[in-house]
Amino acid sequence: MTQQNAIKLFEQKQVRSVWDDATEEWYFSVVDVVAILTDSDNPQVYWRVLKKRLLAEGNQTVTNCNAFKMLAPDGKMRKTDVATAEQLFRLIQSIPSPKTEPFKLWIAQVAAERLNQMQDPERSIEQAMLDYRRLGYSENWINQRLKSIEIRKELTDEWKRLGLEEGAEFAILTDIIYKAWAGKTAKEYKQFKGLKKENLRDNMTNRELVLNMLAEVSTKDISEAENPDTFAQHAQVAKRGGNVAKTAREQLEKELGHSVISPENAKSLGIAGNMELPFKDEESK
Protein backbone atom coordinates (compact mmCIF):
# COMPACT_ATOMS: atom_id res chain seq x y z
CA MET A 1 0.00 0.00 0.00
CA THR A 2 1.45 3.35 -1.08
CA GLN A 3 0.01 6.36 0.71
CA GLN A 4 0.53 10.03 -0.02
CA ASN A 5 -0.22 12.51 2.73
CA ALA A 6 -1.65 15.84 1.62
CA ILE A 7 -3.36 18.97 2.82
CA LYS A 8 -6.62 19.95 1.12
CA LEU A 9 -8.27 23.31 1.60
CA PHE A 10 -12.01 23.90 2.08
CA GLU A 11 -12.84 27.60 2.46
CA GLN A 12 -9.18 28.18 3.42
CA LYS A 13 -9.37 25.60 6.22
CA GLN A 14 -7.10 22.57 6.20
CA VAL A 15 -8.32 19.01 5.80
CA ARG A 16 -5.53 16.47 6.22
CA SER A 17 -5.87 13.80 3.57
CA VAL A 18 -4.21 10.61 2.38
CA TRP A 19 -4.33 9.20 -1.13
CA ASP A 20 -4.08 5.38 -1.11
CA ASP A 21 -2.78 3.95 -4.40
CA ALA A 22 -4.04 0.47 -3.51
CA THR A 23 -7.70 1.47 -3.13
CA GLU A 24 -7.41 4.57 -5.37
CA GLU A 25 -9.31 6.62 -2.82
CA TRP A 26 -8.84 9.72 -0.72
CA TYR A 27 -9.07 9.30 3.06
CA PHE A 28 -9.92 12.47 4.99
CA SER A 29 -9.26 13.31 8.64
CA VAL A 30 -12.61 13.09 10.39
CA VAL A 31 -11.55 15.49 13.14
CA ASP A 32 -10.64 18.13 10.55
CA VAL A 33 -14.02 17.72 8.88
CA VAL A 34 -15.80 17.99 12.24
CA ALA A 35 -13.86 21.16 13.02
CA ILE A 36 -15.00 22.75 9.75
CA LEU A 37 -18.64 21.75 9.99
CA THR A 38 -19.15 22.54 13.69
CA ASP A 39 -16.69 25.40 14.37
CA SER A 40 -16.14 23.57 17.66
CA ASP A 41 -13.35 24.74 19.96
CA ASN A 42 -12.54 21.10 20.63
CA PRO A 43 -13.40 18.99 17.57
CA GLN A 44 -11.59 15.96 19.05
CA VAL A 45 -14.08 15.84 21.93
CA TYR A 46 -17.01 16.47 19.59
CA TRP A 47 -15.94 13.57 17.37
CA ARG A 48 -15.29 11.31 20.38
CA VAL A 49 -18.81 11.89 21.72
CA LEU A 50 -20.41 11.55 18.27
CA LYS A 51 -18.43 8.41 17.52
CA LYS A 52 -19.51 6.81 20.80
CA ARG A 53 -23.17 7.62 20.07
CA LEU A 54 -23.00 6.29 16.51
CA LEU A 55 -21.27 3.10 17.64
CA ALA A 56 -24.00 2.56 20.25
CA GLU A 57 -26.55 2.92 17.45
CA GLY A 58 -24.72 0.26 15.47
CA ASN A 59 -23.55 2.65 12.75
CA GLN A 60 -21.46 0.54 10.33
CA THR A 61 -19.79 3.59 8.80
CA VAL A 62 -18.04 4.39 12.07
CA THR A 63 -17.12 0.73 12.55
CA ASN A 64 -15.46 0.66 9.11
CA CYS A 65 -13.43 3.86 9.58
CA ASN A 66 -9.66 3.45 9.36
CA ALA A 67 -6.90 5.22 11.26
CA PHE A 68 -3.87 6.52 9.35
CA LYS A 69 -0.81 8.41 10.52
CA MET A 70 -1.01 12.10 9.69
CA LEU A 71 1.00 15.17 10.59
CA ALA A 72 -0.34 16.53 13.91
CA PRO A 73 -0.15 20.17 15.09
CA ASP A 74 2.88 19.24 17.23
CA GLY A 75 4.79 18.25 14.08
CA LYS A 76 4.67 14.50 14.77
CA MET A 77 2.97 11.78 12.73
CA ARG A 78 0.05 10.51 14.80
CA LYS A 79 -2.81 8.13 14.09
CA THR A 80 -6.13 9.80 13.41
CA ASP A 81 -9.52 8.51 12.29
CA VAL A 82 -10.06 8.85 8.56
CA ALA A 83 -12.97 8.23 6.22
CA THR A 84 -13.41 7.84 2.49
CA ALA A 85 -15.59 10.25 0.54
CA GLU A 86 -18.46 7.76 0.65
CA GLN A 87 -18.10 7.26 4.41
CA LEU A 88 -17.96 11.02 4.98
CA PHE A 89 -21.18 11.53 3.05
CA ARG A 90 -22.88 9.27 5.60
CA LEU A 91 -21.12 10.59 8.68
CA ILE A 92 -21.82 14.27 8.11
CA GLN A 93 -25.55 13.56 7.98
CA SER A 94 -25.24 13.23 11.76
CA ILE A 95 -23.67 16.69 12.10
CA PRO A 96 -26.13 19.59 11.89
CA SER A 97 -24.37 22.28 9.87
CA PRO A 98 -25.22 24.80 7.13
CA LYS A 99 -21.93 23.83 5.49
CA THR A 100 -22.98 20.22 4.86
CA GLU A 101 -24.09 20.61 1.24
CA PRO A 102 -21.15 22.80 0.13
CA PHE A 103 -18.83 20.32 1.83
CA LYS A 104 -20.38 17.40 -0.07
CA LEU A 105 -19.77 19.21 -3.35
CA TRP A 106 -16.19 19.88 -2.31
CA ILE A 107 -15.54 16.20 -1.52
CA ALA A 108 -16.92 15.18 -4.91
CA GLN A 109 -14.70 17.75 -6.62
CA VAL A 110 -11.56 16.52 -4.83
CA ALA A 111 -12.28 12.94 -5.89
CA ALA A 112 -13.00 13.94 -9.49
CA GLU A 113 -9.80 15.99 -9.79
CA ARG A 114 -7.67 13.05 -8.71
CA LEU A 115 -9.33 10.65 -11.15
CA ASN A 116 -8.89 13.15 -13.97
CA GLN A 117 -5.20 13.50 -13.16
CA MET A 118 -4.74 9.73 -13.20
CA GLN A 119 -6.40 9.47 -16.61
CA ASP A 120 -4.53 12.45 -18.08
CA PRO A 121 -0.97 12.97 -16.73
CA GLU A 122 -0.85 16.47 -18.23
CA ARG A 123 -3.48 17.51 -15.69
CA SER A 124 -1.03 16.61 -12.90
CA ILE A 125 1.57 18.92 -14.39
CA GLU A 126 -0.95 21.72 -14.82
CA GLN A 127 -2.19 21.25 -11.25
CA ALA A 128 1.39 21.27 -9.96
CA MET A 129 2.02 24.59 -11.70
CA LEU A 130 -1.10 26.11 -10.16
CA ASP A 131 -0.22 24.80 -6.69
CA TYR A 132 3.36 26.08 -6.84
CA ARG A 133 2.11 29.49 -7.99
CA ARG A 134 -0.37 29.65 -5.11
CA LEU A 135 2.46 28.86 -2.73
CA GLY A 136 4.41 31.83 -4.04
CA TYR A 137 7.19 30.18 -6.06
CA SER A 138 8.60 32.16 -9.00
CA GLU A 139 7.87 31.15 -12.60
CA ASN A 140 11.56 30.46 -13.16
CA TRP A 141 11.72 28.16 -10.12
CA ILE A 142 8.51 26.38 -11.18
CA ASN A 143 9.92 25.67 -14.64
CA GLN A 144 13.08 24.25 -13.09
CA ARG A 145 11.09 22.16 -10.60
CA LEU A 146 8.86 20.62 -13.25
CA LYS A 147 11.90 19.82 -15.39
CA SER A 148 13.53 18.19 -12.35
CA ILE A 149 10.45 15.96 -11.98
CA GLU A 150 10.77 14.87 -15.61
CA ILE A 151 14.48 14.09 -15.22
CA ARG A 152 13.86 12.21 -11.95
CA LYS A 153 11.27 10.03 -13.67
CA GLU A 154 13.66 9.27 -16.54
CA LEU A 155 16.26 8.15 -14.00
CA THR A 156 13.86 5.98 -11.99
CA ASP A 157 12.51 4.46 -15.23
CA GLU A 158 16.10 3.52 -16.08
CA TRP A 159 16.57 1.95 -12.65
CA LYS A 160 13.34 0.00 -13.07
CA ARG A 161 14.44 -1.18 -16.53
CA LEU A 162 17.51 -2.73 -14.94
CA GLY A 163 15.53 -4.48 -12.21
CA LEU A 164 15.92 -2.13 -9.25
CA GLU A 165 12.95 -1.65 -6.95
CA GLU A 166 11.40 1.47 -5.46
CA GLY A 167 12.07 2.05 -1.80
CA ALA A 168 15.37 1.19 -0.17
CA GLU A 169 17.44 0.72 -3.34
CA PHE A 170 16.22 3.97 -4.91
CA ALA A 171 16.82 5.82 -1.64
CA ILE A 172 20.38 4.47 -1.27
CA LEU A 173 21.32 5.42 -4.84
CA THR A 174 19.75 8.86 -4.41
CA ASP A 175 21.78 9.39 -1.24
CA ILE A 176 24.93 8.44 -3.17
CA ILE A 177 24.10 11.04 -5.84
CA TYR A 178 23.39 13.73 -3.25
CA LYS A 179 26.55 12.89 -1.29
CA ALA A 180 28.67 13.03 -4.44
CA TRP A 181 27.60 16.46 -5.67
CA ALA A 182 26.34 18.20 -2.50
CA GLY A 183 28.42 16.46 0.17
CA LYS A 184 25.28 15.49 2.11
CA THR A 185 22.80 12.61 2.18
CA ALA A 186 19.11 13.47 1.77
CA LYS A 187 18.65 13.39 5.56
CA GLU A 188 21.71 15.58 6.17
CA TYR A 189 20.59 17.97 3.45
CA LYS A 190 17.13 18.31 5.00
CA GLN A 191 18.63 18.89 8.45
CA PHE A 192 20.90 21.56 6.96
CA LYS A 193 17.82 23.33 5.60
CA GLY A 194 15.86 22.89 8.83
CA LEU A 195 13.33 20.51 7.26
CA LYS A 196 11.42 17.60 8.79
CA LYS A 197 8.66 16.03 6.71
CA GLU A 198 8.88 18.59 3.91
CA ASN A 199 9.97 17.65 0.39
CA LEU A 200 13.68 18.48 -0.05
CA ARG A 201 13.42 19.52 -3.69
CA ASP A 202 10.53 21.87 -2.97
CA ASN A 203 13.02 23.68 -0.72
CA MET A 204 15.96 23.86 -3.10
CA THR A 205 17.15 27.05 -4.76
CA ASN A 206 17.34 27.31 -8.56
CA ARG A 207 21.07 26.53 -8.51
CA GLU A 208 20.57 23.48 -6.30
CA LEU A 209 17.80 22.18 -8.55
CA VAL A 210 19.94 22.63 -11.67
CA LEU A 211 22.93 20.85 -10.13
CA ASN A 212 20.76 17.99 -8.91
CA MET A 213 19.24 17.66 -12.38
CA LEU A 214 22.73 17.51 -13.89
CA ALA A 215 23.68 14.78 -11.40
CA GLU A 216 20.58 12.70 -12.14
CA VAL A 217 20.65 13.06 -15.92
CA SER A 218 24.36 12.18 -15.89
CA THR A 219 23.64 9.08 -13.80
CA LYS A 220 20.88 8.05 -16.20
CA ASP A 221 23.08 8.56 -19.29
CA ILE A 222 25.99 6.60 -17.81
CA SER A 223 23.62 3.81 -16.79
CA GLU A 224 22.15 3.59 -20.29
CA ALA A 225 25.65 3.42 -21.77
CA GLU A 226 27.00 0.77 -19.39
CA ASN A 227 23.94 -1.26 -18.24
CA PRO A 228 25.22 -1.97 -14.70
CA ASP A 229 24.30 -5.42 -13.44
CA THR A 230 24.98 -5.55 -9.70
CA PHE A 231 23.86 -3.04 -7.09
CA ALA A 232 27.52 -2.22 -6.43
CA GLN A 233 27.87 -1.25 -10.07
CA HIS A 234 24.74 0.91 -9.84
CA ALA A 235 26.26 2.63 -6.81
CA GLN A 236 29.43 3.42 -8.75
CA VAL A 237 27.39 4.84 -11.63
CA ALA A 238 25.39 6.99 -9.19
CA LYS A 239 28.62 8.34 -7.68
CA ARG A 240 30.07 9.13 -11.11
CA GLY A 241 26.88 10.90 -12.14
CA GLY A 242 26.94 12.92 -8.94
CA ASN A 243 30.60 13.79 -9.49
CA VAL A 244 29.74 15.41 -12.83
CA ALA A 245 27.54 17.88 -10.93
CA LYS A 246 30.19 18.21 -8.20
CA THR A 247 32.70 19.42 -10.77
CA ALA A 248 30.20 21.98 -12.07
CA ARG A 249 29.36 23.06 -8.53
CA GLU A 250 33.00 23.57 -7.56
CA GLN A 251 33.66 25.61 -10.70
CA LEU A 252 30.60 27.79 -10.04
CA GLU A 253 31.58 28.31 -6.41
CA LYS A 254 35.08 29.31 -7.54
CA GLU A 255 33.56 31.95 -9.80
CA LEU A 256 31.08 33.18 -7.18
CA GLY A 257 33.33 33.00 -4.17
CA HIS A 258 30.75 31.26 -1.97
CA SER A 259 28.92 27.95 -1.57
CA VAL A 260 25.82 27.27 -3.63
CA ILE A 261 24.55 24.73 -1.09
CA SER A 262 22.09 26.96 0.72
CA PRO A 263 20.38 26.63 4.12
CA GLU A 264 17.44 28.59 2.66
CA ASN A 265 14.13 26.75 2.49
CA ALA A 266 10.58 27.59 1.41
CA LYS A 267 9.71 28.90 4.87
CA SER A 268 12.72 31.20 5.15
CA LEU A 269 11.92 32.52 1.69
CA GLY A 270 8.35 33.30 2.77
CA ILE A 271 6.76 30.44 0.86
CA ALA A 272 4.12 28.34 2.65
CA GLY A 273 4.69 24.61 2.62
CA ASN A 274 1.43 22.92 3.62
CA MET A 275 -0.54 22.80 0.38
CA GLU A 276 -0.78 19.42 -1.26
CA LEU A 277 1.45 18.88 -4.27
CA PRO A 278 1.23 15.88 -6.60
CA PHE A 279 4.90 14.89 -6.49
CA LYS A 280 6.15 13.57 -3.16
CA ASP A 281 8.90 11.52 -1.56
CA GLU A 282 11.19 11.63 -4.61
CA GLU A 283 14.13 10.36 -2.59
CA SER A 284 12.65 6.83 -2.49
CA LYS A 285 10.95 6.58 -5.87
Side-chain angles (χ1 to χ4, degrees):
M1 178 186 295
T2 301
Q3 296 172 2
Q4 175 183 315
N5 281 280
I7 297 291
K8 291 293 187 180
L9 297 178
F10 173 77
E11 296 182 351
Q12 302 307 309
K13 294 183 179 180
Q14 294 185 355
V15 180
R16 289 170 297 167
S17 312
V18 172
W19 174 259
D20 185 354
D21 285 339
T23 61
E24 293 189 351
E25 284 192 285
W26 279 112
Y27 289 82
F28 303 91
S29 165
V30 179
V31 169
D32 291 355
V33 173
V34 168
I36 288 172
L37 295 181
T38 66
D39 292 322
S40 171
D41 292 333
N42 199 330
Q44 291 89 350
V45 173
Y46 188 107
W47 168 234
R48 191 156 58 242
V49 173
L50 177 61
K51 181 179 179 181
K52 185 177 180 180
R53 175 170 66 81
L54 293 175
L55 285 171
E57 294 172 357
N59 188 299
Q60 290 301 309
T61 301
V62 177
T63 303
N64 294 331
C65 280
N66 292 294
F68 288 161
K69 282 190 174 181
M70 292 182 165
L71 190 63
D74 62 4
K76 296 181 179 180
M77 298 297 288
R78 300 186 183 280
K79 277 195 171 184
T80 187
D81 287 337
V82 297
T84 64
E86 182 180 355
Q87 289 169 335
L88 274 184
F89 280 136
R90 295 172 182 168
L91 281 176
I92 61 181
Q93 297 302 321
S94 303
I95 303 175
S97 171
K99 299 178 184 177
T100 297
E101 291 306 318
F103 194 81
K104 285 182 180 179
L105 293 175
W106 176 81
I107 294 173
Q109 182 183 4
V110 169
E113 284 176 355
R114 180 67 186 194
L115 291 175
N116 287 336
Q117 288 174 7
M118 292 169 64
Q119 293 166 3
D120 183 358
E122 288 188 8
R123 288 178 180 265
S124 294
I125 301 298
E126 292 171 1
Q127 186 62 49
M129 292 179 69
L130 291 173
D131 287 341
Y132 282 127
R133 284 173 185 152
R134 282 198 290 267
L135 287 169
Y137 290 96
S138 70
E139 290 297 316
N140 185 33
W141 186 93
I142 293 171
N143 291 334
Q144 299 283 13
R145 181 70 177 97
L146 295 181
K147 187 63 179 177
S148 76
I149 293 165
E150 177 187 339
I151 288 173
R152 176 66 180 182
K153 186 176 186 307
E154 289 176 356
L155 173 59
T156 56
D157 284 346
E158 168 65 8
W159 284 343
K160 290 176 184 177
R161 180 183 74 84
L162 294 174
L164 297 178
E165 297 181 0
E166 292 185 30
E169 290 185 330
F170 281 25
I172 292 170
L173 292 176
T174 301
D175 268 345
I176 292 172
I177 294 172
Y178 278 141
K179 192 74 173 180
W181 80 261
K184 305 177 189 298
T185 64
K187 182 178 180 180
E188 292 167 345
Y189 210 155
K190 292 177 79 169
Q191 289 174 339
F192 177 67
K193 285 181 172 288
L195 307 176
K196 294 181 180 178
K197 297 293 182 180
E198 300 92 335
N199 184 295
L200 175 58
R201 297 171 199 227
D202 283 347
N203 289 272
M204 284 185 175
T205 64
N206 279 6
R207 294 189 190 95
E208 290 171 312
L209 279 176
V210 169
L211 288 169
N212 195 62
M213 283 191 281
L214 176 58
E216 293 196 326
V217 76
S218 299
T219 300
K220 188 262 297 181
D221 288 347
I222 296 170
S223 178
E224 288 177 340
E226 299 190 0
N227 289 304
D229 183 38
T230 66
F231 188 78
Q233 290 172 343
H234 278 288
Q236 283 301 313
V237 168
K239 185 175 182 179
R240 288 162 59 193
N243 282 337
V244 172
K246 178 185 179 182
T247 300
R249 171 199 164 194
E250 290 175 341
Q251 182 61 39
L252 178 57
E253 290 177 340
K254 182 179 179 181
E255 296 292 335
L256 296 175
H258 62 78
S259 175
V260 297
I261 306 300
S262 173
E264 288 186 325
N265 57 42
K267 184 176 180 179
S268 66
L269 293 171
I271 301 170
N274 283 332
M275 188 179 294
E276 177 243 348
L277 295 170
F279 307 101
K280 296 290 182 180
D281 193 23
E282 291 164 290
E283 280 63 61
S284 62
K285 67 178 180 180

